Amino acid sequence: MEKTITVITERDHLLRHRVVLNGFEDLYVDIPKAYGGEESAPDPHDYFDLSLGACKAITAKMYADRKGWPLEGITTRVKRDDSQERKGVYRLEVTLVFHGISDPEQQARLEEISERCPIHRLITQASVEVTTRSDTA
């Protein structure tokens, strides 16, 4: 499936951009003040990290629903360590809290299932090819 995301520079802002994605137009991206931005929106790393956390939660929730388990909700925390990013190491630590699940075996299974989410697989198993080209306005 092919999908297009459009990122457009916001006038009257330093580095803030508006994101248009499948009809969602209230998404923005910016960078921290330390790098010249205004910190008016999540930065690109935040979106990368949150996509992993959200995908893990959605995947685990779908599995629990299919199994009829009493999962009431999931809290996902993604902790980033980008201190070695320039050396090629970007660490993400994901903590999942399964609300309503007290059975340790079910919790372990949901954690295991979360590691099969599409974004986790994309980050850890796929070869991603990026092609960049310029176009006229």
Side-chain angles (χ1 to χ4, degrees), residues 29-65:
V29 64
D30 199 353
I31 62 172
K33 290 179 181 178
Y35 298 103
E38 299 168 274
E39 290 185 39
S40 65
D43 75 19
H45 285 83
D46 295 332
Y47 282 106
F48 180 85
D49 302 351
L50 79 81
S51 68
L52 176 64
C55 188
K56 284 179 167 287
I58 291 167
T59 300
K61 178 81 169 87
M62 289 172 62
Y63 184 84
D65 287 351

Side-chain angles (χ1 to χ4, degrees), residues 51-118:
S51 68
L52 176 64
C55 188
K56 284 179 167 287
I58 291 167
T59 300
K61 178 81 169 87
M62 289 172 62
Y63 184 84
D65 287 351
R66 237 184 6 255
K67 291 290 190 178
W69 291 354
L71 180 63
E72 297 168 2
I74 302 169
T75 300
T76 306
R77 291 184 198 91
V78 180
K79 183 178 176 182
R80 171 193 315 153
D81 177 358
D82 59 2
S83 62
Q84 301 294 310
E85 182 180 1
R86 291 183 186 260
K87 295 180 181 177
V89 179
Y90 189 81
R91 292 183 177 91
L92 297 174
E93 178 183 303
V94 181
T95 303
L96 300 167
V97 179
F98 301 113
H99 305 283
I101 300 286
S102 57
D103 181 335
E105 289 182 16
Q106 289 180 343
Q107 288 179 355
R109 183 67 178 147
L110 289 173
E111 182 180 330
E112 179 185 327
I113 289 299
S114 79
E115 293 193 359
R116 296 182 187 172
C117 84

